[in-house]
Amino acid sequence: MSTPKVLFGFHAVGVRLKTAPQSIIEIYYEPTRRDARMRQFLERAREAGTRLIEADGLRLAKLSGSHGHQGVAARVQAIEQTHSLDDLLDDLEARGVTAPLLLVLDGVTDPHNLGACLRVADGAGAHAVIAPKDHAVGVNATVAKVASGAAETVPYFMVTNLARTLGELKERGIWVIGTSGDADQSLYQADLKGPVALVLGAEGPGMRQLTAKTCDALVHIPMQGAVESLNVSVASAVCLYEAVRQRSA
């Protein structure tokens, strides 16, 4: 059995309660918090038959590794990812999904940024988020909290060799589009209606050179003001929702 992990915050624990209540070992909550949100949360937990344990703020902070727990934390069994990226893409094909939408993050090491990117990916209906094992952060409690439940719903694949993985996506007919401030073409000139993987690098350095070379095309997000770039999660939202707009037009 896998090692239990900790989720904290109403969104992260609430989504697990909704999607996989049987995986929750126990929920810790702050009894001094008696507002409507906490009452509704505890009612759902009791309906699911989850074990509830009272805990003060100090214990919750220690358990969560953060003071942003909102009075709620849970020890849960990790839900094993049943798909490899190949399996996921095969499954999409079998289900008749002809235009997969993927988000690729190269060098995003900040858990808050990853959590926000996963939340955006969930909102935009992206089928998966992909990152390299050696230049990325994994899903930890902070990522899960910031993702507001999306860490439970969006497949997140950490691959050994990102350039090779992008090459494999291209062999499957998925158009790989990278973002770069130096690109001539604007995001809004790109055709995002078909199968596409949008590649974004970390703030500052951006994508690694090999990643950029592997892309089929590079686009830039038009910047009208003084700042040179957007936060990677904001840039992910701009790119993914442009794809959503084009696909629904």
Side-chain angles (χ1 to χ4, degrees), residues 37-216:
R37 191 177 192 188
M38 179 64 87
R39 290 199 305 272
Q40 290 165 4
F41 174 82
L42 292 176
E43 186 178 333
R44 291 206 314 273
R46 291 188 181 104
E47 286 173 358
T50 308
R51 184 185 181 205
L52 292 167
I53 299 172
E54 293 185 359
D56 60 23
L58 191 63
R59 185 178 184 189
L60 284 165
K62 188 174 180 181
L63 185 69
S64 307
S66 167
H67 289 284
H69 50 71
Q70 300 176 308
V72 172
R75 283 204 319 126
V76 302
Q77 292 294 348
I79 297 176
E80 297 300 326
Q81 197 162 271
T82 54
H83 288 303
S84 67
L85 179 56
D86 275 335
D87 288 340
L88 175 73
L89 293 170
D90 287 344
D91 184 52
L92 290 174
E93 189 176 336
R95 283 162 42 203
V97 177
T98 58
L101 178 60
L102 308 173
L103 176 64
V104 181
L105 302 173
D106 187 22
V108 176
T109 57
D110 180 85
H112 293 87
N113 277 338
L114 175 58
C117 287
L118 289 170
R119 188 172 184 177
V120 165
D122 178 89
H127 295 102
V129 176
I130 302 165
K133 284 180 180 175
D134 57 346
H135 290 275
V137 62
V139 175
N140 57 28
T142 299
V143 171
K145 167 68 168 59
V146 176
S148 296
E152 303 288 311
T153 59
V154 179
Y156 180 57
F157 297 103
M158 299 186 78
V159 299
T160 304
N161 186 315
L162 185 60
R164 185 192 307 142
T165 297
L166 294 179
E168 291 166 356
L169 293 179
K170 289 160 72 170
E171 287 173 8
R172 283 179 173 267
I174 296 172
W175 194 247
V176 178
I177 300 178
T179 54
S180 168
D182 299 327
D184 293 328
Q185 186 183 19
S186 160
L187 168 70
Y188 304 114
Q189 295 171 310
D191 183 354
L192 306 178
K193 294 187 185 75
V196 67
L198 293 162
V199 188
L200 288 90
E203 282 179 84
M207 287 182 295
R208 288 173 294 168
Q209 192 174 4
L210 180 57
T211 305
K213 282 182 178 178
T214 310
C215 293
D216 290 305

Side-chain angles (χ1 to χ4, degrees), residues 103 120 179 187 200-201 221 230-240:
L103 176 64
V120 165
T179 54
L187 168 70
L200 288 90
I221 298 173
L230 298 173
N231 173 278
V232 65
S233 62
V234 176
S236 295
V238 171
C239 293
L240 287 171

